[in-house]
Amino acid sequence: MSHAVDPNTACLLRDWHAAVNARDLPTVLRLCAPDVAVSGPRGTGSGHDVMRDWLDRSGIRLKLVSLKAFDDAVLAEQVASWPAGTGPQEPVPCVTVFHVRDGKVSAVARYESLEAATAARA
């Protein structure tokens, strides 16, 4: 069942998106737990080094469209874009499932659609 996103969590995730889009890696890492889990089309890993490598390699930009709370996670509907040569040429919709622990992002899992994200949670 869906419910409102906690205001502190919403602020954290808006700050995370702003830091990602600004390429501000120190802030992104400060907002993430040291053991942050990162999952996406290329696999899963954990830790600040994995987050740093993902952001450096992908160059992803994420326009936040909405945040929806579901049980212990937050689903962020987004529009993703990448610099030339690192991803699709046109922006694409996607969904990222975030977990937050002790005021830090503890897991980030990107999916191609809301359906794929909710199916993965089932």
Side-chain angles (χ1 to χ4, degrees):
M1 176 140 192
S2 172
H3 54 278
V5 176
D6 171 78
N8 291 330
T9 299
C11 184
L12 169 69
L13 296 179
R14 283 192 300 271
D15 289 349
W16 184 91
H17 279 81
V20 165
N21 292 332
R23 313 301 308 145
D24 182 353
L25 292 176
T27 298
V28 171
L29 298 179
R30 181 178 51 77
L31 298 172
C32 292
D35 62 344
V36 61
V38 181
S39 302
R42 293 188 177 187
T44 301
S46 65
H48 279 183
D49 288 343
V50 171
M51 177 64 73
R52 181 183 302 107
D53 290 347
W54 171 61
L55 292 172
D56 281 341
R57 183 185 69 252
S58 72
I60 197 167
R61 302 289 192 273
L62 295 165
K63 178 183 175 190
L64 182 60
V65 176
S66 70
L67 294 172
K68 297 176 183 175
F70 288 92
D71 300 325
D72 64 340
V74 177
L75 282 79
E77 292 184 273
Q78 305 153 318
V79 176
S81 59
W82 295 264
T86 63
Q89 294 300 310
E90 299 296 322
V92 296
C94 67
V95 171
T96 301
V97 176
F98 289 91
H99 287 265
V100 174
R101 181 181 72 236
D102 300 328
K104 304 261 185 185
V105 174
S106 60
V108 177
R110 192 168 59 85
Y111 299 92
E112 293 181 3
S113 68
L114 184 57
E115 295 77 19
T118 54
R121 292 182 45 80

